[in-house]
Amino acid sequence: MVSRTPLLLADEAGVAACRVRFLTAEPVEPGHVRGSIMASWHRSQLQAVVADQIALDQLSSFQVDSPLTRSAEPVLRDLRERLDGQPVSIILTDQTGLVLRRLTADRDLERRLDSVKLAPGFSYAEKDVGTNGIGTALEVGGPTHVFGHEHYAENLEEFGCAGVPIKHPVSGRTVGAIDLTCWRKDAGPLLLTLAKTTAEQIRQALMSEVGGDQMALFQEYLRTCRRMTGAVFALNGDVVMMNDFARSALDPADQATLLDYATDSLLSGRTSAVAVALPTGLAARLYCRPVPVAGPGAGVVHVRLGAVPTMRHSRSGGGRIALPGLVGGAPLWLRACDEVDRVVKTGEWLAVQGEPGVGKMALLRAVHAHGQLSSRLLVLDAADAATVPTWLDIAASALQEDGRHVVIRHIDELDGRRQRSLAALLEGARAREDDTAPWVGVTLARATGHEAFNRLLQMFPSSVEVPPLRLHSEDIGPLIEHFLSRLGNGDRLVAAPDAVQLLTRATWPGNIDQLQAMLRSVAKHRRSGTIRLEDLPADARMVSRRRLSPLESMERDAILAALSDARGDKVAAAGALGMSRATIYRKLHAYGIVVPTS
């Protein structure tokens, strides 16, 4: 049953009032609306979404037979049978939010969904209908629930919905989304749990559609992980895989450097060991094994690491602690750094919460290094529990070691059974009366509100929220400088002021990780000198953050290429594209393209 939880609906009137105030440009009191919903409202407003109606056009034709729909069909039908008689609709979309399939057991609900065009052939991307379970989940890249008045469009206020992106089992790319929608009065926490489970089942079913080249690479990667200790990577032109040790032991900049060297070695056919000095000071040796059947430059890489360098620390002005490896001076960011450092010094167990990519793990590592603690920090990833049968045994062993410092990432991705088991392990570790009890920290994107999860969080008396990058955008400039200093190929790599200004205006839904990934991509083509507007990828050169259709993306890229060839001359670019001057000006405005100045 999809049970109602009164707590979720207790402040309906407050959320409804806040929504009206937001839409009428009046100040909204904090605390009544979840931060993720408020952020989505802002995105919806910036994209000029109409709030008082659902104005959508249905595609006359769209691809209904695809690896995603073939893999999802039996999963959806099984769930439909299990939900028989309940007013719940099961909705499958592609990666853009276009509805591909809808199964509904309740006739009244189905008629109402038809009236708001939540049906096959219509797009429920956030740019089209504002805040909703499908579009917002795809926008943030993670599970999302939206209840009642949290929807941006008033026509959707009577619904509760939970959406979860579906990830490709090998590449990890988002290929679609699963959404469960019911009446608002019936919405409860089970809705999101059920959506997560369904998305995972579809992800596993997609394995049967994986091509032979990717499967060969995947199998070789698994064999190497079983035989070797340390960091293991696998890559080809479309896929990058890495084991838990590589994710937890290596800084993202080190990971990027290793992948660059591995790509060069595999493409050149070199199989001898390669010595690499990493940005953080670590020494590494790469051993590459090509997998030719997986394509040019495909292979598996085993990495041996040298000694960890000594970390130094200092104090910045105002008595604030400068944590090693971290950048930023915005008040919200510094407050989070100070709070984490303070709690860790007290020895209290700590939960660090924040959106994906905000730097939760980097902050915990920096605080551990700053404290010059004698115990090595052991990082476990709860996201691996679903695929690693012995994960709880590994966690139990880590918690039994004397004086161990342990961080468990992504605890909100554990299912209820594993959450209860982990809580029991933590209770046992905390009950040790001597000084050898471990210190434990956890990271999570959001609190689920489930009973098992609440019990797990009770183990952690302190909690710190790490702000998303859009709330400390003044740190984007220093972060760009910091990342580029690591990416320069032996020479200084800097960003032009207008490029920095443009990047500072972006919303960065993927936060610091997204910014670093974008700069890493740019640095592959511009390894030294100055990064200018024309060096930035097309998406970064747009002020508008709305998601484009494939045809719109092609048109945008053609305009950008023509502008680049014409050195920013709009009239010449219009002539090359066969557009009138008025048309290209309208397109520049519609796509939010910033034209480089000569």
Side-chain angles (χ1 to χ4, degrees):
M1 292 291 292
V2 179
S3 59
R4 178 182 179 186
T5 301
L7 288 176
L8 292 172
L9 308 175
D11 197 28
E12 283 185 4
V15 174
C18 288
R19 179 181 171 277
V20 172
R21 293 179 67 85
F22 178 85
L23 292 175
T24 54
E26 296 181 25
V28 177
E29 295 181 7
H32 288 291
V33 182
R34 291 185 287 138
S36 59
I37 297 298
M38 182 61 73
S40 178
W41 285 358
H42 279 290
R43 290 194 300 268
S44 302
Q45 188 179 63
L46 288 172
Q47 293 162 345
V49 176
V50 178
D52 59 357
Q53 62 176 314
I54 301 293
L56 299 175
D57 294 323
Q58 187 174 27
L59 289 183
S60 58
S61 63
F62 54 96
Q63 189 173 7
V64 294
D65 182 23
S66 67
L68 174 63
T69 55
R70 288 194 297 270
S71 301
E73 187 62 24
V75 178
L76 300 182
R77 289 195 173 278
D78 179 68
L79 180 58
R80 165 66 175 76
E81 291 176 5
R82 288 190 286 137
L83 292 176
D84 189 32
Q86 294 197 66
V88 179
S89 184
I90 309 161
I91 298 157
L92 177 73
T93 79
D94 68 9
Q95 73 275 17
T96 71
L98 177 69
V99 178
L100 303 174
R101 193 81 167 87
R102 188 187 74 188
L103 290 84
T104 311
D106 183 85
R107 192 166 293 179
D108 289 339
L109 178 61
E110 185 152 45
R111 281 197 293 264
R112 188 69 185 98
L113 293 178
D114 283 339
S115 72
V116 296
K117 301 182 179 179
L118 182 45
F122 292 97
S123 170
Y124 254 64
E126 199 177 67
K127 70 178 180 65
D128 295 318
V129 294
T131 308
N132 73 94
I134 295 168
T136 304
L138 289 170
E139 189 70 28
V140 302
T144 299
H145 64 271
V146 181
F147 293 137
H149 301 288
E150 292 179 334
H151 288 92
Y152 189 82
E154 64 182 32
N155 307 65
L156 304 178
E157 290 175 340
E158 63 191 304
F159 301 114
C161 52
V164 180
I166 300 169
K167 306 290 186 180
H168 190 276
V170 176
S171 70
R173 294 175 179 170
T174 298
V175 295
I178 190 71
D179 174 82
L180 300 181
T181 293
C182 64
W183 300 114
R184 179 181 65 194
K185 62 183 178 63
D186 299 320
L190 180 58
L191 205 64
L192 187 60
T193 302
L194 198 55
K196 287 181 179 178
T197 303
T198 305
E200 175 59 21
Q201 290 173 343
I202 296 173
R203 189 190 72 83
Q204 294 177 7
L206 277 165
M207 284 297 295
S208 63
E209 296 283 347
V210 172
D213 55 345
Q214 291 189 352
M215 183 59 72
L217 182 65
F218 184 56
Q219 290 173 344
E220 185 60 33
Y221 164 73
L222 291 178
R223 280 194 291 268
T224 305
C225 287
R226 286 193 294 266
R227 291 198 306 264
M228 302 291 188
T229 58
V232 177
F233 297 84
L235 63 156
N236 65 10
D238 300 315
V239 175
V240 173
M241 293 174 273
M242 66 179 72
N243 66 350
D244 180 64
F245 182 88
R247 284 195 302 271
S248 61
L250 293 170
D251 181 269
D254 291 348
Q255 294 174 10
T257 300
L258 289 169
L259 287 172
D260 283 345
Y261 274 91
T263 300
D264 291 343
S265 294
L266 290 166
L267 286 172
S268 64
R270 292 195 303 268
T271 57
S272 57
V274 178
V276 180
L278 300 179
T280 57
L282 286 170
R285 292 185 71 81
L286 275 67
Y287 301 85
C288 300
R289 181 182 302 110
V291 183
V293 71
V300 177
V301 182
H302 177 229
V303 181
R304 296 186 184 275
L305 298 175
V308 179
T310 302
M311 301 282 259
R312 297 189 298 273
H313 65 279
S314 60
R315 289 188 175 269
S316 58
R320 289 193 181 275
I321 295 171
L323 296 172
L326 298 186
V327 174
L332 279 178
W333 171 252
L334 291 177
R335 184 186 307 162
C337 293
D338 287 350
E339 288 179 359
V340 171
D341 187 70
R342 176 184 56 79
V343 173
V344 172
K345 283 179 178 176
T346 67
E348 276 190 350
W349 288 10
L350 172 66
V352 181
Q353 183 172 342
E355 296 177 9
V358 296
K360 301 184 291 291
M361 195 63 236
L363 178 50
L364 283 168
R365 289 186 188 278
V367 167
H368 183 270
H370 171 258
Q372 295 183 322
L373 302 173
S374 58
S375 173
R376 175 179 171 270
L377 186 66
L378 177 65
V379 180
L380 303 175
D381 196 337
D384 294 336
T387 56
V388 179
T390 59
W391 188 88
L392 283 170
D393 295 331
I394 295 170
S397 176
L399 294 171
Q400 289 168 4
E401 293 192 31
D402 293 350
R404 170 70 79 180
H405 285 71
V406 180
V407 170
I408 305 174
R409 307 176 66 190
H410 306 128
I411 61 165
D412 46 333
E413 296 191 20
L414 290 171
D415 58 24
R417 179 182 65 80
R418 292 186 177 93
Q419 286 171 357
R420 288 188 289 270
S421 299
L422 180 59
L425 293 175
L426 291 170
E427 285 174 347
R430 193 173 63 174
R432 289 160 61 176
E433 297 179 354
D434 54 21
D435 293 334
T436 63
W439 178 86
V440 182
V442 295
T443 73
L444 63 150
R446 60 189 64 81
T448 65
H450 301 167
E451 181 181 352
F453 193 70
N454 288 339
R455 178 191 170 194
L456 182 57
L457 282 184
Q458 287 173 1
M459 302 290 104
F460 302 89
S462 294
S463 177
V464 175
E465 179 90 14
V466 180
L469 184 56
R470 62 183 174 274
L471 296 184
H472 60 109
S473 58
E474 59 266 52
D475 287 334
I476 291 177
L479 283 167
I480 292 171
E481 182 179 356
H482 172 70
F483 290 140
L484 291 181
S485 69
R486 294 182 170 192
L487 293 170
N489 189 26
D491 298 309
R492 180 169 173 77
L493 184 61
V494 298
D498 55 351
V500 173
Q501 183 180 16
L502 179 64
L503 296 176
T504 302
R505 293 163 60 191
T507 56
W508 299 110
N511 294 295
I512 296 172
D513 284 357
Q514 182 187 3
L515 173 63
Q516 185 178 21
M518 187 277 294
L519 293 172
R520 187 183 306 131
S521 176
V522 171
K524 289 181 179 179
H525 308 286
R526 169 75 68 182
R527 291 190 172 270
S528 63
T530 301
I531 294 174
R532 304 193 181 279
L533 280 179
E534 54 266 33
D535 296 318
L536 299 177
D539 289 343
R541 289 160 61 185
M542 294 173 55
V543 177
S544 169
R545 307 310 295 173
R546 71 182 182 92
R547 194 185 301 274
L548 302 181
S549 71
L551 286 176
E552 287 176 321
S553 296
M554 292 171 65
E555 183 178 56
R556 175 207 61 196
D557 292 345
I559 292 172
L560 286 168
L563 285 168
S564 179
D565 292 341
R567 299 187 177 183
D569 187 325
K570 304 182 189 68
V571 177
L577 293 167
M579 292 180 178
S580 68
R581 184 183 305 183
T583 298
I584 196 168
Y585 276 107
R586 179 170 56 82
K587 296 288 186 181
L588 292 175
H589 176 74
Y591 293 139
I593 296 173
V594 177
V595 180
T597 56
S598 55

